[in-house]
Amino acid sequence: MKQHIIVQGDVLLRPYAGAVPVTASVPADPRYAGLVLAEGEETGYAHFVQGPARLIEATASSPRLLVIDANDALDAAQAILRHALSGAVEAPAKHPSQPLQPGVYEVTLQVEERVGRVTD
């Protein structure tokens, strides 16, 4: 299956065709039973991936990457992008869960800028 661009809230996953560096993967976060891509400081909600996946932090020559491993036909596990509080309960339909196709994705976080007036 062909990979597509995936957007979930502030998280953007784009298919990546470059070389994947041979470095240690980020461990899963036990609070979410998955790999955390972004976590809200104020809300406590997180965007995370559960299933056969590896997260590789950015290096000088490579962006932050999410590697979704191809699952065996006998293995029902599939990687899923979720949004929830501590992995327990899914968030409202605003950020529904999305299945992820095997392949390599560049992980980009969209940053919200707040412009305001500074007073002394």
Side-chain angles (χ1 to χ4, degrees), residues 16-34:
Y16 181 75
V20 177
V22 181
T23 61
S25 300
V26 175
D29 187 322
R31 296 173 301 156
Y32 301 96

Side-chain angles (χ1 to χ4, degrees), residues 80-103:
I80 298 176
L81 177 60
R82 297 186 185 278
H83 180 252
L85 276 170
S86 297
V89 179
E90 297 243 359
K94 180 179 178 184
H95 300 304
S97 295
Q98 299 182 46
L100 299 172
Q101 296 299 321

Side-chain angles (χ1 to χ4, degrees), residues 58-114:
T59 65
S61 61
S62 173
R64 190 173 187 216
L65 299 174
L66 177 65
V67 180
I68 305 299
D69 298 317
N71 57 338
D72 186 313
L74 300 175
D75 181 8
Q78 179 179 19
I80 298 176
L81 177 60
R82 297 186 185 278
H83 180 252
L85 276 170
S86 297
V89 179
E90 297 243 359
K94 180 179 178 184
H95 300 304
S97 295
Q98 299 182 46
L100 299 172
Q101 296 299 321
V104 181
Y105 297 87
E106 178 179 350
V107 178
T108 304
L109 302 181
Q110 302 175 62
V111 180
E112 179 182 307
E113 291 186 33
R114 294 184 182 170

